[in-house]
Amino acid sequence: MAFLGTAVRKVASCRPALSPLCRSATTSRRYSSSSEPTTEKSVPYENVLKVEEGGSGPTKPLPKSAEAVVIGGGSLGCQTVYHLAKMGMTNVVLLERDRLTAGTTWHTAGLLWQLRPSDVEVELLAHTRQVISHDLEQETGLETGWIQNGGLFIASNKQRLDEYKRLMSLGKVYGIESHVLSPAETKDLYPLMNVDDLYGTLYVPKDGTMDPAGTCTTLSRAATARGATVIENCPVTGIQVSTDDMGVKRVKAVETLHGTIQTPVVVNCAGVWAAKLGEMAGVKVPLVAMHHAYVVTERIEGIQNMPNVRDHDASVYLRLQGDALSVGGYEQNPVFWDKVSDKFAFSLFDLDWDVFMQHIEGAINRVPALEQTGIKSTVCGPESFTADHKPLMGEAPEVRGFFLGCGFNSAGMMLGGGCGRELAHWIIHGRPEKDMYGYDIRRFHHSLTDNNKWIRERSHESYAKNYSVVFPFDEPLASRNMRTDPFHKVLDYDWYGAYDISKNQNYKYNELLGKEYTFDYPPHHHVIKNECLTCRHGVSVFNMSYFGKFYLTGPDAKKAADWLFSADVNKIPGSTVYTCMLNKRGGSEADLTVSRLEAGAANLPLAPEGNGDAYYLAIGGGVAEHNWNHIKTVLQDEGLNCQLTDYSEDMGMISIQGPKSREVLQEILDTDLSNEAFPFSTHKVCNAVGHKVRAMRLSFVGELGWELHIPKDSCLPVYQAVMAAGAKHSIINAGYRAIDSLSIEKGYRHWHADLRPDDTPLEAGLAFTCKMKSTIPFLGRASLEKQKAEGLRRRIVCFTIDEKVPMFGLEAIFRNGVPVGHLRRSDYGFFIDKQIGYGYIRNPDGGVVNADFIKSGKFTLERMGVVYEAKPHLKSPFDPSNNRVKGIYPDNYHNVYKANAQ
């Protein structure tokens, strides 16, 4: 019998004569593999859905048509068809090329951890748990194989335990029981565990494990009982796509060897094979396939009923398997599977022990009994991974009616229930119920989704860092140079030293980023403070070139603007309006500025040709692709004759902000910048040291200031002129961290932080962006009118605390000792010298949340288990009268500044 401990000692020498444990270590540090399936190995489940002598044809006749066809019978496919049927779409078909779970689901570890550093993911996981542990059994009378044995997160240092304490505080908002345990308490709970090197642990009693075969079988039966059709042994050979009268591509039908199903909706739940399925419809699916492995031990005395374990610092997990353990993890040198085989079903790869051995070492350190424990089986199968370790969901930008539900990064079982429900809602109602932007395929810029270098590098880094501490300001190092502005500098990705690639030396960005890895105020806190206070007192320059820059033109442009934008943007040419774009439920799909343009000849990229109505849209760059697709979808749905053109790459943008900004810019712009000649929320095309620019008087930091939208070739000379003119005013460059602080201090929203698709403008304190007093219809108006009439059940509130304690979002909010929400966003306000947080609160009784409810409560915030008294604010604590953006500063401003800065 091969023992785990023996493997650790032998793997280095298992070259000519291989022990049973090292038999597959025939190559070292492989970067990619074209491996075909190997001989069968067992997986740790009582039941697998494979049938030895399955039929050669479909298990059921194919219907002529369907409302939707789900392709792929793994966790996501089964959950999606189940939820579609449950929501009333009964004429839905699931097609599986082999048997249910045959691809990757059948060999998954099936772990479910309830706590994640994301409120949305906590909610998704909660729904999965509800479906698996309760709903399916109630509906079908069948057991899914759910086992509630608890979960234990291991912390070997303070930072890791701080991360767990953050999760514990967030869990209280959702009623998830969890406990921070000392090493001694951990030993009492898990006697076989080595706790000598532990800092502490987080124990979640109601975590557990799922059985893939039992779950998917039960989901299939529940869906079938509601009218859905599940067909196995039916590979898809093609997707028919038609082009409508407006030139929009739409799904038409699904082709198989056994017939064609007419359908307007295809759902790609094909896992590792999702990219190939996407190609059939001309849809880009940015994922890669990698080997992902675990081993199953022989029986371990005393392991029964122990919780599952995640030792993140050792990058290893231990899943209870009856009286044994499954041991797996995430390594920095995973093996890519480049030549994905269509014949791969209920199959596995040989395990590369050189790659896997690091997990054995970590497992033995944590549970020493493993050193003398035999290995029952090895499980190495393919899994799909994505550039940010998040799934790919939603309607594909290329083809209407083609939906994605793939790329789940080994978490398809765990996230399947929540994501299946959201995907079903997406298909039926056009949008999910929750904020799914982090999973939406439209989060990625279209230039990246077929860029193999970007997909591989980012997917590798996300895989390698899967168990890393999730710090608030972490950034990827891989593929940082795919899109650059005129001010950018380049450095290649070093793959973290894996695959015999040398690490970058003297990598300043990596060194700076490393110092940000803290849950305290970072070492650069004073740098951010200086940038913020210089902006408040003098003048700072922000590079905003990453912004999306679109033109909306055409015969129906005015009609489109009225319908798309919640605010009235049809003011006189030269006006600029801050507005939201909403979905049908009134949720905020975007916030942006829209500028009405003068009619005239084209002067690209600064002005399109416009004989009629034309609008310039400036949108936060990180969400520009999402905004672009939202606008295109709405235009298509409404049949509006408009053109949306993208000039994001053709222009740069700098923002000059602060009380001295007018003095600086008046030297280089050939236009009068006085309040009378150039009021707030207006724009002009003017000259800047011989270069045409579009100047906009706007601010995202709450100060007097202008944005300069500049043709790409003019960016550097204009920027240099600004810096030269500002030198006597001690002008400085300021970064996005300063913007974060300044904007929260002023009370401005960040989309996808304190403003999301599941937040309405009324809840977000942005009622002023909605033309409710007019009679102009706009998308989402009916929902807002209904919400306004019924009263708000949740609303955003600003909180400040007196203690100098860093918060980052996810901290629990309590009113009179009862959890009522959590912070969405938090930062330090250097001018008011306080920690500020914004979060949505609800009434625990289900009643209206109004000003009296807020004023009458005693609020506290919980950070990492520690409670702090908090003061609620109905208005921004900084310049609530908006004088500063109007250029109105007190005569004694310098004295006021000094007093606040002390």
Side-chain angles (χ1 to χ4, degrees), residues 269-287:
C269 297
V272 163
W273 296 268
K276 286 192 174 184
L277 187 65
E279 289 174 4
M280 295 180 185
V283 170
K284 298 180 287 187
V285 183
L287 55 75

Side-chain angles (χ1 to χ4, degrees), residues 334-348:
V335 178
F336 286 76
W337 189 30
D338 291 325
K339 296 182 179 179
V340 177
S341 169
D342 292 335
K343 306 298 182 183
F344 201 99
F346 292 108
S347 302
L348 296 170

Side-chain angles (χ1 to χ4, degrees), residues 9-88:
R9 293 187 292 271
K10 284 190 175 181
V11 71
S13 59
C14 64
R15 291 293 176 261
L18 303 181
S19 74
L21 196 61
C22 305
R23 186 176 296 124
S24 61
T26 54
T27 59
S28 177
R29 306 299 183 200
R30 289 183 296 178
Y31 174 71
S32 62
S33 165
S34 59
S35 303
E36 292 300 316
T38 66
T39 54
E40 272 186 44
K41 296 179 175 65
S42 61
V43 291
Y45 302 108
E46 293 182 6
N47 299 304
V48 173
L49 298 180
K50 181 175 181 181
V51 216
E52 294 300 330
E53 299 296 332
S56 59
T59 54
K60 294 178 184 175
L62 271 67
K64 297 288 186 184
S65 64
E67 293 176 85
V69 175
V70 179
I71 302 173
S75 172
L76 254 294
C78 291
Q79 289 278 11
T80 301
V81 76
Y82 164 74
H83 282 92
L84 282 170
K86 197 168 184 177
M87 290 182 189

Side-chain angles (χ1 to χ4, degrees), residues 524-582:
H524 309 115
H525 195 59
H526 67 287
V527 176
I528 302 167
K529 176 180 180 179
N530 179 59
E531 292 176 2
C532 291
L533 293 183
T534 299
C535 182
R536 292 277 185 248
H537 181 49
V539 60
S540 297
V541 179
F542 301 88
N543 177 13
M544 312 295 285
S545 299
Y546 74 106
F547 262 49
K549 310 167 194 77
F550 307 152
Y551 289 113
L552 179 65
T553 58
D556 290 339
K558 182 178 183 301
K559 188 184 296 184
D562 281 339
W563 182 248
L564 275 166
F565 307 123
S566 62
D568 184 4
V569 301
N570 281 305
K571 301 183 182 299
I572 61 170
S575 63
T576 297
V577 177
Y578 172 69
T579 182
C580 293
M581 290 192 291
L582 310 181

